[in-house]
Amino acid sequence: MTFLTVDNVTKRFGGLVALNAIGFSVAQGEIVGIIGPNGAGKTTLFGVISGFITPSEGEVSYDGHSILGISPDRLVWRGLMRSFQIVQSFADMTALDVVTTAALTRRPMREAIDYAAAALLRVGLGGKELKMPLTLSLQDKKLLELAKCIATDPRCILLDEVMAGLTMSETAAPIAVIQELNRQGVTIVMVEHVMPVIMRLATRIVVINFGEKIAEGTPEEILKDQRVIDAYFGDHIDA
Amino acid sequence: MKQEFYDTLSSPILWGVLLLAALLPFALSSYYLHIVTLALVYVALASSWNIVGGMAGQVSLAHSLFIGIGAMLSSALLLKLGINMWLGLVISAVISGVLGAMIAWIDFRFQLGHLSFVLITLAFAEMGAIVVEGWEFLGGASGMLLPKDTGDFLAFQFGGGSGSFWVMLTLAAVCVLVNVAILNAPLGFYLRTIRDNEKAAQAIGVNVLRYKITAMVISAVLASVVGTAYVRYLTFADPYLLISPVITIEIVLFATVGGLGRAYGPALGALLLVPLGEVLRGKLGSALPGLHYFIYGVVVIAVILATPRGLLPLFERQWERWRRS
């Protein structure tokens, strides 16, 4: 049973084709990784799925319905939540305020504050509730993105490079949170550059290059795929 | 609603301050009472503007339009059509609210961005001024004189002096408390995320259009109501005062000096700057015309340079330091 389907999506920015007839589907409860070299179109793809970018052609459906033209905030209501690669922070709000706003999606004010505090605790940001997001370390900012996701009670989350810029030991906390969310039935689609992380977490991987899907399969299959090695890993395998 | 709001409502400090303020007419001469009344008008206006300009970060210059509608339309309805000013107040407030919603919608629909929003709202304000000055029904360029204030409450008359002062005190308190309420309600959280980052706000489920409209409507309705009360206090519906963009500039200035986006910031700014301006004008206006504007400007620049986020954060820090020691 497919939960999220991207069907033949093309996005052109003027003459530039950012996405070219991309299609794949995600089943409920899966963790699907999306990889590809820089500029491959991963973030654009997330923009399309989460309602921020209207595709030039194609169809995106979620939970059995087309979601094209539905605004991002409505999608959050329906359980489709995304994080941003470039951490989006709010200048004059504490970490707790930001996560509380996310929690207000489904909860009244008083409950939302407690729920937000619990979400911060869960991702390992306990004690940093009253910090300004801008003053947090990169790792903590990424954890805050995760806390925002959790607080909206999502059914499907799109994680855009949550691990980028973190050391291997720093990835432990977000990995644990993602695995726990997944065990609770949350479907996860993640764009990631950190290969060991995605190889470990994802049940299936979609590889994109120059806006086109060049491979799809289990992590093992992807590692052996010559097209992927050529397009993406190249030097990494030799090194 | 967060507990803080109920704490504020039941705070003895709040009611103590209001009670003491309510006794001011018995202590002040009519000149100083006028200055304090004027300050309260601006407390109410700056606080109502703060909902859009401070919390949602949308520098609206359309507020003279709402104040002007509240003042000029309710006066015209009374003088030309004999409509009771209470009803005029409601009609003006509704029209202001609708116009506010329209401006917010245009802003969202065309994704104006900050600078364009400022200019569009200014254009609306100017159009309002042109309509008023050119349309005899609204008093034209010469304005309208309201009937003498005999203190007939049912005719929206408060007797001037202390009666008008109490009305303004009530309005100012209501506007500030609406600020407190919004900041402690989901709306306040939504507006603050919209101010800081609209895209990220949407990504955590905030319906940007709905809350921009809500903020603008609340703000416009409050400004309009204050406009009606203000014109009744002045008795003369002067288009060059009440529907001129200058009044918006003053409001923005007071809110900025006091502390944008804070519940008490704009009130603080108005309470300090209106009396300062009036006293300077009284003392220096005749000696060296224009000097009071100069001094006033220097004070404002100094404050903004010294504490860019306004006086309120500065006071809060001092208070914290004093409490700890």
Side-chain angles (χ1 to χ4, degrees), chain A residues 43-88:
Chain A
T43 298
T44 307
L45 177 64
F46 267 20
V48 168
I49 301 173
S50 59
F52 280 98
I53 297 174
T54 314
S56 315
E57 281 159 39
E59 178 64 68
V60 180
S61 64
Y62 163 73
D63 199 17
H65 301 279
S66 170
I67 52 170
L68 284 189
I70 296 178
S71 65
D73 51 284
R74 290 299 307 168
L75 291 176
V76 173
W77 257 86
R78 286 166 62 167
L80 183 64
M81 175 77 190
R82 85 173 282 192
S83 80
F84 282 93
Q85 175 189 2
I86 299 154
V87 177
Q88 307 277 314

Side-chain angles (χ1 to χ4, degrees), chain B residues 105-252:
Chain B
W105 181 82
I106 290 173
D107 168 44
F108 184 84
R109 174 69 184 72
F110 297 99
Q111 296 288 314
L112 290 182
H114 287 298
L115 185 59
S116 309
F117 181 75
V118 171
L119 294 176
I120 289 279
T121 51
L122 181 62
F124 269 95
E126 285 291 357
M127 282 191 284
I130 291 167
V131 168
V132 168
E133 282 160 33
W135 191 11
E136 214 41 55
F137 175 76
L138 290 173
S142 53
M144 289 165 285
L145 191 62
L146 290 176
K148 195 175 176 310
D149 191 337
T150 57
D152 178 3
F153 188 78
L154 291 178
F156 200 73
Q157 294 179 3
F158 311 105
S162 48
S164 299
F165 170 84
W166 287 321
V167 169
M168 289 309 173
L169 181 64
T170 310
L171 276 178
V174 167
C175 287
V176 172
L177 284 174
V178 168
N179 271 256
V180 177
I182 291 176
L183 282 175
N184 286 301
L187 180 59
F189 283 78
Y190 297 145
L191 294 181
R192 285 154 70 210
T193 57
I194 290 172
R195 172 189 61 198
D196 288 346
N197 192 332
E198 271 184 38
K199 205 171 118 191
Q202 276 194 310
I204 50 174
V206 176
N207 185 330
V208 174
L209 174 63
R210 182 190 300 168
Y211 298 115
K212 273 185 169 178
I213 289 181
T214 309
M216 197 63 158
V217 169
I218 295 173
S219 185
V221 166
L222 288 176
S224 176
V225 169
V226 177
T228 309
Y230 189 25
V231 77
R232 182 57 271 184
Y233 173 65
L234 295 171
T235 305
F236 177 54
D238 179 357
Y240 296 103
L241 173 67
L242 292 164
I243 195 156
S244 140
V246 174
I247 199 168
T248 316
I249 303 289
E250 289 178 307
I251 294 167
V252 176

Side-chain angles (χ1 to χ4, degrees), chain A:
Chain A
M1 173 64 196
T2 62
F3 189 50
L4 180 70
T5 311
V6 175
D7 187 20
N8 212 19
V9 164
T10 296
K11 176 65 191 177
R12 283 181 287 270
F13 293 106
L16 178 84
V17 182
L19 297 174
N20 191 4
I22 289 232
F24 65 91
S25 58
V26 180
Q28 193 153 18
E30 244 190 320
I31 301 185
V32 170
I34 295 177
I35 63 173
N38 280 325
K42 303 179 299 283
T43 298
T44 307
L45 177 64
F46 267 20
V48 168
I49 301 173
S50 59
F52 280 98
I53 297 174
T54 314
S56 315
E57 281 159 39
E59 178 64 68
V60 180
S61 64
Y62 163 73
D63 199 17
H65 301 279
S66 170
I67 52 170
L68 284 189
I70 296 178
S71 65
D73 51 284
R74 290 299 307 168
L75 291 176
V76 173
W77 257 86
R78 286 166 62 167
L80 183 64
M81 175 77 190
R82 85 173 282 192
S83 80
F84 282 93
Q85 175 189 2
I86 299 154
V87 177
Q88 307 277 314
S89 53
F90 302 99
D92 207 21
M93 297 175 83
T94 62
L96 183 64
D97 282 351
V98 172
V99 181
T100 299
T101 313
L104 283 166
T105 304
R106 268 176 250 288
R107 282 154 214 280
M109 191 74 245
R110 280 169 205 238
E111 243 179 77
I113 298 172
D114 294 338
Y115 197 68
L120 284 169
L121 204 61
R122 200 168 146 194
V123 301
L125 286 177
K128 294 178 180 159
E129 291 85 357
L130 298 182
K131 292 230 170 177
M132 293 295 172
L134 282 175
T135 66
L136 292 176
S137 70
L138 180 65
Q139 185 194 10
D140 287 353
K141 280 179 184 164
K142 303 265 177 177
L143 293 175
L144 184 64
E145 284 285 306
L146 261 184
K148 274 157 58 177
C149 287
I150 296 175
T152 62
D153 292 317
R155 297 170 64 202
C156 177
I157 52 180
L158 311 171
L159 298 172
D160 197 350
E161 297 199 20
V162 178
M163 316 284 175
L166 303 185
T167 65
M168 279 318 288
S169 64
E170 284 174 338
T171 57
I175 287 176
V177 173
I178 291 168
Q179 285 175 324
E180 194 195 334
L181 279 174
N182 186 241
R183 269 198 298 279
Q184 292 167 350
V186 178
T187 306
I188 291 162
V189 182
M190 54 196 301
V191 161
E192 201 56 72
H193 269 310
V194 187
M195 280 308 125
V197 169
I198 204 134
M199 291 299 159
R200 201 173 123 202
L201 280 176
T203 46
R204 219 149 44 80
I205 290 177
V206 175
V207 189
I208 299 177
N209 195 20
F210 295 116
E212 292 182 31
K213 182 170 89 173
I214 59 170
E216 181 176 350
T218 63
E220 294 75 28
E221 290 165 356
I222 293 299
L223 280 175
K224 289 186 209 126
D225 194 305
Q226 194 55 44
R227 285 164 305 176
V228 178
I229 295 168
D230 289 347
Y232 191 83
F233 293 101
D235 299 339
H236 291 275
I237 296 296
D238 302 332

